[in-house]
Amino acid sequence: MPKFVYAFAEANKDMKDLLGGKGANLGEMTRMGLPVPPGFTITTEACLGYLAHREFPDGLADEVSEQLAKLEQSMGKTLGDPGDPLLVSVRSGAKFSMPGMMETVLNVGLNDESVHGLARQAGNERFAWDSYRRLIQMFGKTVLDIDGEHFEDAIEAAKGAKGVRNDVDLDADDLRQLVEVYKKVVHEHAGRDFPQQPREQMDLAVRAVFDSWNTERAVIYRRQERIPSDLGTAVNIVAMVFGNMGDDSGTGVAFTRDPASGAQGIYGDYLQNAQGEDVVAGIRNTVPLRDLETIDKRSYDELLQIMQTLEEHYRDLCDIEFTIERGKLWMLQTRVGKRTAAAAFRIATQLVDQGLIDMTEALARVNGAQLAQLMFPRFDEKADRHKIGQGMNASPGAAVGKVVFDSYTAVKWSRSGEKVILVRRETNPDDLNGMIAANGILTSRGGKTSHAAVVARGMGKTCVCGAEELDVNTKERVLRAPHGVTVHEGDVISIDGATGEVFLGEVPVVDSPVVRYFEGEIDPAAEEADDLVRAVHRMMGHADGVRRMAVRTNADTPEDAARARRFGAQGIGLCRTEHMFLGERRSLVERLILADTDEARERQLGELLPLQRQDFIELLEAMDGLPVTIRLLDPPLHEFLPDITELSVRVAVAESRGENRENDLRLLQAVHRLHEQNPMLGLRGVRLGVVIPGLFQMQARAILEAAAHRIKAGGVPRVEIMVPLVANVQEFETVKQDIIQVAREVREAETTHLEFLIGTMIELPRAALTADQIAEAAEFFSFGTNDLTQTTWGFSRDDVEAAFFSAYLEKGIFGVSPFESIDRDGVGELVRIASEKGRAQRPGLKLGVCGEHGGDPDSVQFFNEVGLDYVSCSPFRVPVARLEAGRATSARRANGNGSR
C-alpha cells in the first residue's frame, strides 16, 4: 500500500510530483532549519485515488490520524480543544503553481467552545472572534459551495452599522454578532449547520481541496498554462500561526527580486493585523515591504537574511509567504517565483554574473514565448496622452481596449473581435476567463502580490494594480477618475504595465527596444543600451553558439527578406510565388486562365516571365549567399479569379442593361469551370504543373535566369526549387524532368554554371508514408505542417476554427490548437516517419519545416528532437525560433541525447 502522508521533516524540494510544490518546499525549508510551522502533506496520489472513487483511499484516514497525533504532541495542543485549541490550515499545493485556482481553509478547529479558549490563551477576544468568522466564511465558500457574496454582504452591513470602512475597525462584539449571522447564512444556504467537530471540519476541507483540482477555473488555468490534468493536488495540513493578533502581527509576500523588472532589491507587500488571504485578495491595500523595517525591525532583518538564504539555495528568484505572530517570524511558503519576460532575461544573466548558474542554465530559464513578449510594441512617449490614473506596474506591456467590468462581458466582447481591458476593484479566481480574454487588466486595489498581479505575470498579460484614485463601480459600470473624468463601459483606455499609468483613449505604439536591437538600431555595447537589451544579446549569442538547427524565414518580398536577415535568418525556407501574382498582376493570371489556345497561353506566360524573374533577382540579392527555397505555384487557380457571386451580379446587371460584358462572361464561365467542392484537395500544387503546360516551366525559368543574373553580378545565389503537394514520386519526377530541361536551356543561353536543388513539400499523409520512394528523386524535404495538419485531421482550417475549435478547447479535447503547436502524436509522428524513411533512402537528405509551427516554441523543440536541419517562420518570429533552437540543443545535451 502506498504511503499517503508525509511529515514536513520527511520531504524535500525534489518531491514535487508526490507532494506538490508547496509541500516539497515546506519540507525543504524545514530541513534547512528555517522557522516553518510544523505540519504534514497528503500526497497527489491520494488526491487521484479520491477523484477516481469519490472517497478517501484505504488507509488515508489512519495515516492522517497518526500524523495529526504527532503534530498535536509537538505543539502540546489538541485539535479544537476547548481550553487551548490547536488550529490548522488546510491548503492546496500542486506540482505547478496555480495561484488562487484551488482552495485553502484557515483556522480549522475553531467552534463555539474553542473560540473562548483561543481568546483566553491569546488574551485577545477580538482576534479569536475574527479568526472564527474567517473560518466560517472560508469554509462556507470553499467546502459548502455558498456564494461568497452572502458573507460579503453581511460584513459590509456590519461595517455600515458601525460607521467604519475597514474590517479591522470591527471590535470583538461586532465580530461575535457577525459569527452568528454567518452561521445563519450557512444554515440557510447549505441546508446544514456549521460543523462543530474539528476533525469533521478538517476532513471536509481536505475533500474540498481535492475537489478543487477539477473546478472550472482550475481546468481553464491548466489549459491556459498547458499543465497536465492528471497530476492532482497535494494537501498541506499546517499548524496555524496568526497574523491577525494585533499590530505586532501581520502577514506578507516577499520576492527576492522584482518579479516585474528583475531588479535586485526588496520587493513585496505587508499588511498588519491580517491573515494571508487579505494580501492576495487585495481587499485592503498593503504597505511596501520596506515599511516593515520601521514596524518590526527584528522580524524585517531576519526576513531579509532568510530571503538571501533561499535565493542562494534555490539559485533563482524566490516568492515567499510569511506571517509574523506577536513579533515571531514564520515562513509559510516559498517557490521559484513567476516573473515577467523582461525579469526572466535580466534575472538569468544576473545569476550568471553572480556565479550561481552558467549560461546553459540561464538559457533554460527563458523561452521563446517570453522573447516574443519583449518584441511587442510599447506606448509612444512623444504622443499626446491624457493620463487619468496611476497604479503599480504589476506586469509590463502596452494594452489598449474597451473597458469592461466583468469576466462574462470580457469573454463575450473578445469573441466578437473587440480588444478589451478588464477593470475590477480586485480580481478573484472566478475572473480567470475574463483575464484570459482581456488585452490587459486594471484594478483599483491590491499590490504586486495580489491575485491580479500574480496571475497576469504568469500569463504574460499587461496589468496595472492598486490605482487607488480610480473609483470602480461595477454595478453602475463606470470608472470615475480625478477631475471629473467618467469612463463608461465600452470607452477605450490604455494601460502601461511598465509604468503603472492609465490613459484615456488610444495611445499610439512604437517598436520595443528589443525589436530595435534586432533591427540593428541599438548597439548592445553602447552606453545608452539598457540592461534588458544586453541580457537579450547575451542570451541570443549563447543560443546561436550552441544550436544545431538553422533558422530561415518565410518571405515573398525583398523587404521581408532583408528584415528577416537583420533578425538573424539564415536563408528563406518558403517563398510563396502565388503572392507575386496578386494586385496589378491578377489580370495577367486571369488572361492565362482564359487562354483557350497553346499560342494564347504561351503569350501570357511570356508576359509573366520577366516579372517573375525580376521578383527572384531582388529576393536572391536580399539573401545573397544564403539558401532560398522557392515554392512553385500552389493554390487553385480560382483564387485568382473574381468572387463568383460578385461576378454573377455584374454579368446579370450588364445583361439587363443590354451592355456587352464579354470578358466578364468568359470569366464567369471560367469560374464555373474551375469551381470545386473541396478546392483544398482539388487542382492545386503539383497537379497544376502536370496538367497546365508551361506553367511550372515558366516559373523555373524565371528562377534560374534570376540566379544566372546574380552570378554575373558577382552574387552567390543558392537556389532551392520546391514542388508543392506531392503525393507520390511519379508526380514529382514528372515536374522534376521539366525543370531539368529548363535548366539545360538556361545554362546554354546564359553560358553560366548553375547549381540548385529540387525538392518537395511533405504535406500529405501519403507523402510522409512513402517518403523513402520520394527521396529517390527529391534532394530535400520541407514539411508543410499547416496542410499536413489539415489533411491528417480531416480539417478545413478556415471552417473548423470558427465552427468548433472553441468547444474542443473548452472540453479539453484539445489542450492547444493543432494549428498553433504541432500535434506530436499524429502530425508529428508523420514528420518523424518521413524523416527516418527519407534519410534511410538518401543519407544527408536536407529536412526543414516551413509551416507556421516553425515559429512556435514547443514545436521547435520537437523538430530539433526529430533531427530537422532547419525551421522557417515569419520574419518577426525568427529570433524566437533562434532562441528555442538553442534551448532545444542545450536540453538534449543536458539529458545525454546528442544530435544526429
Side-chain angles (χ1 to χ4, degrees), residues 456-501:
R457 279 196 297 272
M459 294 193 298
K461 190 85 64 174
T462 300
C463 181
V464 172
C465 287
E468 297 180 33
E469 58 196 336
L470 302 179
D471 177 21
V472 178
N473 191 319
T474 56
K475 291 185 178 178
E476 295 182 18
R477 308 188 88 74
V478 295
L479 166 67
R480 293 186 176 89
H483 310 298
V485 175
T486 299
V487 180
H488 296 89
E489 189 162 63
D491 292 345
V492 173
I493 63 171
S494 303
I495 61 173
D496 190 333
T499 64
E501 294 172 295

Side-chain angles (χ1 to χ4, degrees), residues 87-154:
L87 305 183
V88 298
S89 63
V90 180
R91 310 179 75 192
S92 63
K95 176 181 179 181
F96 299 106
S97 175
M98 297 171 57
M101 296 304 115
M102 292 181 295
E103 305 297 2
T104 291
V105 184
L106 306 181
N107 308 322
V108 171
L110 274 177
N111 56 27
D112 292 349
E113 294 183 4
S114 61
V115 65
H116 299 289
L118 182 65
R120 284 193 299 272
Q121 290 298 322
N124 186 332
E125 198 171 354
R126 185 200 179 278
F127 149 72
W129 287 103
D130 182 51
S131 298
Y132 194 17
R133 72 92 185 167
R134 288 172 182 270
L135 169 63
I136 299 172
Q137 183 171 358
M138 295 184 78
F139 194 94
K141 288 174 58 180
T142 298
V143 181
L144 302 178
D145 200 26
I146 299 172
D147 189 332
E149 286 193 5
H150 297 301
F151 298 105
E152 291 296 333
D153 290 345

